[in-house]
Amino acid sequence: MRRILSLITGMTLFAGLTAGCGLNAAGGDDGLTIYTARDKALAESVVKDFEEANPEYKGKVRLLTLGAQEAAERISAERGRPQADIWWGGSSQQLDHAANDGVLAPVPDQVRDRIPERYRDEQGRWVGEMILAEVVFYNDQMLTPEQAPKDWDDLIKPEFKDKIIVRDVAASGTMRSIYSAMISRNSTPDNPEPGYEWLRQLDANTKVYAANPTDLYLRIQRQEAPISVWNLQDVMLQQKKSGAPFKPVATTSGVPQLIDGVAKVKDGPNGAAADAFLDFLLSVDEQKKLGEEHFQIPTVEGAGEPSWLAPLGLHEMPVDWELVGGKESEWIAHWSDRIKNQN
Amino acid sequence: MSAPVVQTRRRKLPSPDGDRFVYVLAVPVVLVLLFLVVIPMATTAVTSAGGNGFAANYGSLFGGSSGQALLLSLVSSLLSVFFCGLLGTLLAVLLHRFDFPGRRALSVFAVLPMALPPLIGAVSFVLLYSETGILPRTLSALLGIDAASTSVGGLAGVVLVHAFTMYPYFYLSVSAALAGMDGSLEEAATNLGAGRVRVWRTVLLPMLTPALVSGALLTFMMSMASFTAPQLYNVQTLTMEIVSARTSGNAALAAAQSTALSVVSIVFLLSMRWYQGRRVHRSLSKGTPSARRAPASAGAKFAAALGSLLLTVVLLAPVLVIVLVSFSVDGAWTTQVLPTEYTLDNYLEIFSEPQSLLPISVSVQTSLLATAFAIVVGAAAAWVVARWRKPGRGLLDVVIMLPWALPGTVIGVNLVTAFNEPGVGNLGLTLVGTLWILPVAYFVRFVPLVFRSTSASLDQLDPALEEAARNLGAGPLRVLRTVTLPLVMRGVLAGALLAFVDGVGEYVASVVIYPPGLPPMSVEIYNRIYSSEFGTAAAYGALQIVLILIVLAVSNRLGQGPRQKRSAAAPAVVPTA
């Protein structure tokens, strides 16, 4: 008994002491804190470049890698005492939502002016950093290019029954956008029913819904099924990083293109550093580099098109993103309630 | 035999001066809980009336997908309780009533599945039992059975993951109860001519009721709040609905769904309390545990050893899969039964990065701190609730258990909302952005573990023992120190162990609150998975498991302590008990 009590006291003291002096809480008035949904290796390489270009921030940049939705939730919850300076990586819908919620500050004018109007918020509260192409891809160890689907509409053909794995839709910004794009493409603005019918047939062909991106990659690599839909950048990064046998399809009706952006957090602790980082990140040189090495399609004017893009032969699918923005919640809720797993 | 020793209903005691001590102790406990649990929770309840309005938010729970999700959560939780209860109790009885070769090792491994890092732990179940998993692929390679027919998925998958990761809640509390049980009761019953079955039915099982109730409560509430397994097996439970409501930006609906989730858990809690209250079984004597039985013949010994080896392998399989992945090359394991290429790179990568040990340090320190506070507050609260004679007893119980019933994200968001700027509700305290918010969150989340398991021990203990000490002139503190605490220490420690282990693995709340630059271990694992460094994620997972294994081994040794020297038959505390 006494032994146990003294041990407990000892452990408490140890924890108290080390917590007091061993770990220093981050935050504070210098440096820069970035919440990012970008690939970790990509984000780290950008921070390295940034620190080289701005030596005064060397070793003072803190990166927090998390999902875009988690970043949104965190920034919103911390509004009373903002911890982040930058939110890097989020869909235009998520960024719009946060901007209207009053947690984002306008980016510096000279940064905003580098981005064409169609790729940013009107008031400059966020700017698009890249265009995310949403593609069909397949495991090329399981299918030849001839056997693979050629267009989105092929996905609902009977021959692909149980050959498709989809990342669970409701919890993923990317998937919500893809599914909404499919509804808007097949429907008229006031009647989503044909779009629902298309998704019903897709659900019938879907073997399983993967829990998260990694689960999706694993299942396709382990040959549970050959086909999926996801964003082009991640597909290409997987291919390059771990040699995943993923091959994107240049769908005949085009690929939906989303804007993925970056924003400055309102009243973040290091506003000046945030401005410097945005200025650096959205510079033509850095964007060119990201385009070539990390498969981004830049929005910044003058950064041009990366060399790997043209050979893929993709072209944009026209999507009414304004309509999608307004209807997405309703459509996805209907899909979750009435379509998912019921066909 | 039941009259003097085992009581069948609560004893009415006079209320001497010493009882005031209960209420004195209650004040700080209530204040702490008010501050850290009730106020943040009230904020969530207020949020649930926003958005589309109170009626619309709660109306969606009747019929529609939220209603179905609630039903599914309920079914999966009840099934999980059943299977965890079966597995945990059997294992506890096996390890504490019988002596056989390999028992000591198995008793350490028995708690290990709890140490599975949440996300990667669930993935390891998929790698084992899904259509492309090790088991179905082996069966298909050896026997030619179609892999699809032997795979586990859907609801069965969720229950499988829950059963194999949550049974320690039963195992530990039943173990503590068995260890604290008076062996003379059993002997008396046997001497009076009762057969083995009858002894179990009329003496042992009733005495285990508090422990079983405690295990059932913890498991039920945890399954209700579970998210990783339903997501991985694509079962649309209420927690999935909450996440999807949040993703759609409908925080009010998410808050309403969270509130509904906690209401169901509270109803379960109250009904379990009512059930337990109807049949109180306490021991008046100080526990002299019954001796462990050794199998008679060599054949039985061999069978027992073989059986425990098999059991160990089954229980440890998910852990072994993580270790296997940590040594395999990312992306190389595709259609084969087992990985074909092995490497040390994943570990080298962790140990060659200067900052890589930081997450381990963050997790260990914050969990230790949280556990220490949880022991103090949880044990005190358990005692207050057990000895409380005025109305409000159930309310206090509910308040403490509430955080356990809520999804971690809700706890995290609650804390961030309550402590992000100085205000009246938080006494001017801001925790956001400091390291202190992690121990506070772990404390809030895991104090129910210490509370529940201490309560189970206390419920076995008759207040007349304390009464006797007081009548002999001992002050209330002295009674606590010399009578109550030694007798419930096993329960306190079992709870503390659970709290620490869960703290080291906590992910869902941590991810919402951890300060920039100081990620706890589970968050680091998730980040690696997120950036598709699956191998290094598994390597981190393996390190976490090793760490917890060390803690278990130490606490096991500790439990044997000086007691062992006095009597060879006396059991260890935790988890061998």
Side-chain angles (χ1 to χ4, degrees):
Chain A
M1 176 73 205
R2 190 154 295 164
R3 204 178 131 146
I4 291 166
L5 280 180
S6 59
L7 185 100
I8 292 170
T9 322
M11 292 213 313
T12 316
L13 272 177
F14 165 75
L17 283 177
T18 47
C21 60
L23 305 168
N24 296 314
D29 296 330
D30 64 336
L32 174 69
T33 302
I34 301 168
Y35 289 1
T36 181
R38 288 274 184 277
D39 178 76
K40 196 171 150 221
L42 181 159
E44 279 170 357
S45 90
V46 170
V47 166
K48 200 168 137 253
D49 293 350
F50 171 68
E51 289 182 349
E52 257 160 38
N54 301 270
E56 66 266 37
Y57 296 114
K58 196 148 190 69
K60 292 180 178 167
V61 180
R62 289 169 295 269
L63 267 180
L64 213 76
T65 315
L66 68 188
Q69 188 58 30
E70 284 163 344
E73 276 177 23
R74 233 182 128 128
I75 289 165
S76 163
E78 289 170 351
R79 66 171 70 227
R81 195 173 178 230
Q83 295 296 302
D85 302 300
I86 296 281
W87 171 9
W88 179 18
S91 69
S92 55
Q93 288 92 330
Q94 284 166 324
L95 288 161
D96 262 338
H97 192 268
N100 294 334
D101 200 25
V103 294
L104 302 182
V107 304
D109 288 351
Q110 90 269 14
V111 175
R112 187 197 61 201
D113 293 342
R114 282 178 225 158
I115 316 289
E117 261 176 55
R118 60 181 289 227
Y119 297 136
R120 61 171 156 88
D121 174 51
E122 277 174 1
Q123 299 166 50
R125 295 170 300 180
W126 59 265
V127 291
E129 189 213 348
M130 63 169 168
I131 297 160
L132 265 184
E134 312 293 352
V135 295
V136 173
F137 75 96
Y138 63 95
N139 182 336
D140 64 6
Q141 293 173 348
M142 296 174 77
L143 296 181
T144 63
E146 291 72 43
Q147 292 167 324
K150 313 276 180 304
D151 191 32
W152 295 90
D153 285 335
D154 290 347
L155 296 179
I156 61 172
K157 286 185 177 162
E159 63 196 90
F160 291 115
K161 183 162 179 62
D162 286 342
K163 293 223 159 42
I164 300 170
I165 299 179
V166 175
R167 152 82 164 105
D168 190 24
V169 177
S172 154
T174 300
M175 287 313 306
R176 294 172 77 97
S177 302
I178 297 180
Y179 271 43
S180 301
M182 290 302 122
I183 294 178
S184 109
R185 162 175 175 259
N186 288 289
S187 312
T188 53
D190 45 352
N191 177 24
E193 198 43 55
Y196 290 155
E197 182 50 37
W198 193 92
L199 289 180
R200 223 168 264 134
Q201 294 177 41
L202 182 61
D203 182 67
N205 276 0
T206 303
K207 181 168 185 180
V208 67
Y209 292 93
N212 51 57
T214 307
D215 187 34
L216 174 72
Y217 308 147
L218 274 180
R219 285 177 195 264
I220 303 272
Q221 282 185 59
R222 290 170 63 76
Q223 308 200 354
E224 214 165 295
I227 303 164
S228 187
V229 296
W230 194 237
N231 74 67
L232 179 66
Q233 186 186 29
D234 281 348
V235 170
M236 303 292 281
L237 280 174
Q238 284 306 307
Q239 212 179 47
K240 184 183 170 189
K241 267 205 306 207
S242 60
F246 298 163
K247 202 163 171 59
V249 179
T251 32
T252 44
S253 54
V255 293
Q257 292 191 345
L258 290 171
I259 303 161
D260 200 274
V262 55
K264 182 179 169 183
V265 177
K266 193 174 171 185
D267 300 327
N270 311 291
D275 290 347
F277 180 78
L278 288 171
D279 192 30
F280 177 82
L281 174 68
L282 293 160
S283 65
V284 170
D285 286 348
E286 190 62 18
Q287 285 299 316
K288 268 190 176 160
K289 187 176 167 189
L290 285 172
E292 290 304 331
E293 289 175 14
H294 295 278
F295 305 102
Q296 294 202 164
I297 306 173
T299 53
V300 170
E301 264 172 289
E305 199 183 83
S307 59
W308 51 267
L309 185 58
L312 291 178
L314 307 177
H315 65 98
E316 184 175 357
M317 171 192 285
V319 176
D320 183 350
W321 288 113
E322 214 159 298
L323 174 75
V324 167
K327 292 279 184 181
E328 187 192 281
S329 290
E330 180 194 325
W331 287 347
I332 299 299
H334 180 93
W335 178 83
S336 293
D337 287 1
R338 304 280 152 86
I339 300 175
K340 183 185 177 188
N341 283 337
Q342 292 175 19
N343 300 281
Chain B
M1 55 134 265
S2 67
V5 195
V6 175
Q7 285 180 290
T8 44
R9 61 187 183 85
R10 193 163 293 130
R11 189 179 259 254
K12 284 264 182 280
L13 285 172
S15 179
D17 292 348
D19 264 8
R20 263 185 229 132
F21 184 63
V22 174
Y23 305 107
V24 174
L25 189 60
V27 174
V29 169
V30 169
L31 282 181
V32 167
L33 293 172
L34 205 65
F35 190 55
L36 294 178
V37 181
V38 179
I39 294 178
M41 213 69 81
T43 324
T44 304
V46 171
T47 318
S48 75
N52 299 333
F54 185 84
N57 290 341
Y58 285 91
S60 74
L61 288 163
F62 304 98
S65 65
S66 297
Q68 273 172 20
L70 182 61
L71 197 69
L72 211 52
S73 285
L74 206 61
V75 170
S76 73
S77 302
L78 289 174
L79 285 173
S80 303
V81 169
F82 177 75
F83 286 108
C84 288
L86 208 64
L87 191 59
T89 313
L90 274 179
L91 208 56
V93 169
L94 186 70
L95 288 172
H96 297 283
R97 310 276 304 175
F98 300 100
D99 204 8
F100 52 87
R103 186 188 66 82
R104 292 275 299 280
L106 183 55
S107 67
V108 171
F109 292 138
V111 200
L112 204 55
M114 228 179 49
L116 279 176
L119 189 60
I120 203 171
V123 173
S124 75
F125 277 89
V126 172
L127 291 179
L128 262 175
Y129 302 112
S130 78
E131 196 182 317
T132 56
I134 295 177
L135 197 71
R137 275 184 179 173
T138 308
L139 289 176
S140 136
L142 292 180
L143 308 169
I145 306 170
D146 180 25
S149 61
T150 49
S151 65
V152 184
L155 187 61
V158 174
V159 175
L160 180 86
V161 174
H162 286 178
F164 278 125
T165 52
M166 296 177 186
Y167 75 85
Y169 298 116
F170 273 94
Y171 169 75
L172 280 180
S173 63
V174 173
S175 297
L178 280 173
M181 196 181 278
D182 191 344
S184 59
L185 285 183
E186 202 185 334
E187 275 166 39
T190 314
N191 291 344
L192 289 168
R196 204 174 281 182
V197 175
R198 195 181 155 103
V199 171
W200 267 100
R201 197 171 50 80
T202 57
V203 180
L204 293 176
L205 273 183
M207 289 290 289
L208 288 182
T209 308
L212 292 175
V213 165
S214 144
L217 267 177
L218 294 176
T219 313
F220 180 85
M221 288 173 141
M222 184 149 211
S223 320
M224 282 298 285
S226 154
F227 175 67
T228 332
Q231 195 197 30
L232 213 53
Y233 285 102
N234 190 36
V235 175
Q236 198 67 21
T237 56
L238 198 56
T239 46
M240 294 269 284
E241 291 279 311
I242 293 174
V243 170
S244 118
R246 298 188 78 91
T247 317
S248 326
N250 196 341
L253 180 62
Q257 287 165 337
S258 309
T259 312
L261 193 73
S262 30
V263 166
V264 173
S265 287
I266 291 167
V267 169
F268 189 80
L269 168 70
L270 292 176
S271 58
M272 283 311 247
R273 277 185 60 102
W274 170 82
Y275 171 75
Q276 192 187 341
R278 280 180 64 226
R279 25 182 308 176
V280 175
H281 299 274
R282 288 173 177 147
S283 167
L284 259 179
S285 66
K286 202 169 173 239
T288 322
S290 36
R292 236 174 243 123
R293 239 172 258 134
S297 66
K301 217 170 223 172
F302 177 74
L306 189 71
S308 74
L309 183 72
L310 274 178
L311 198 59
T312 310
V313 170
V314 171
L315 293 180
L316 285 193
V319 174
L320 295 177
V321 168
I322 292 181
V323 176
L324 199 65
V325 174
S326 76
F327 285 108
S328 63
V329 180
D330 272 351
W333 182 16
T334 53
T335 53
Q336 308 82 357
V337 172
L338 291 175
T340 46
E341 294 170 51
Y342 293 89
T343 173
L344 283 174
D345 284 356
N346 296 325
Y347 288 94
L348 287 178
E349 202 183 318
I350 291 184
F351 286 107
S352 62
E353 284 173 31
Q355 286 287 295
S356 60
L357 295 180
L358 182 71
I360 301 178
S361 154
V362 170
S363 277
V364 171
Q365 293 182 20
T366 49
S367 315
L368 265 182
L369 200 62
T371 308
F373 284 111
I375 288 176
V376 175
V377 176
W383 191 72
V384 167
V385 169
R387 299 291 177 262
W388 188 274
R389 299 238 178 73
K390 300 206 163 103
R393 193 175 128 107
L395 188 70
L396 200 55
D397 198 339
V398 166
V399 165
I400 301 173
M401 291 305 289
L402 211 50
W404 187 253
L406 287 176
T409 326
V410 177
I411 306 268
V413 172
N414 278 347
L415 279 177
V416 175
T417 318
F419 292 100
N420 83 56
E421 48 191 335
V424 189
N426 57 29
L427 308 177
L429 208 61
T430 48
L431 295 174
V432 171
T434 74
L435 194 54
W436 289 103
I437 197 162
L438 282 175
V440 168
Y442 297 162
F443 166 79
V444 170
R445 215 154 142 56
F446 300 127
V447 80
L449 288 168
V450 179
F451 171 78
R452 204 76 254 161
S453 121
T454 311
S455 295
S457 288
L458 271 170
D459 285 337
Q460 271 189 322
L461 183 77
D462 198 289
L465 283 178
E466 292 173 7
E467 193 73 12
R470 255 184 307 203
N471 290 343
L472 290 169
L477 265 180
R478 193 184 157 102
V479 174
L480 257 188
R481 196 165 55 80
T482 56
V483 179
T484 321
L485 259 183
L487 286 174
V488 298
M489 208 56 200
R490 280 199 186 87
V492 177
L493 280 182
L497 186 70
L498 283 170
F500 178 77
V501 170
D502 276 350
V504 170
E506 210 293 330
Y507 168 71
V508 253
S510 308
V511 74
V512 195
I513 55 173
Y514 77 98
L518 293 170
M521 224 159 151
S522 54
V523 171
E524 185 65 24
I525 291 177
Y526 174 81
N527 287 348
R528 302 228 172 213
I529 292 184
Y530 190 84
S531 48
S532 299
E533 298 166 25
F534 202 57
T536 48
Y540 257 111
L543 288 182
Q544 181 178 329
I545 291 164
V546 169
L547 175 80
I548 286 169
L549 191 65
I550 293 172
V551 172
L552 291 178
V554 168
S555 64
N556 202 18
R557 188 127 297 258
L558 189 80
Q560 283 157 9
R563 209 173 233 280
Q564 187 84 356
K565 285 173 201 145
R566 264 181 271 136
S567 135
V573 178
V574 168
T576 331

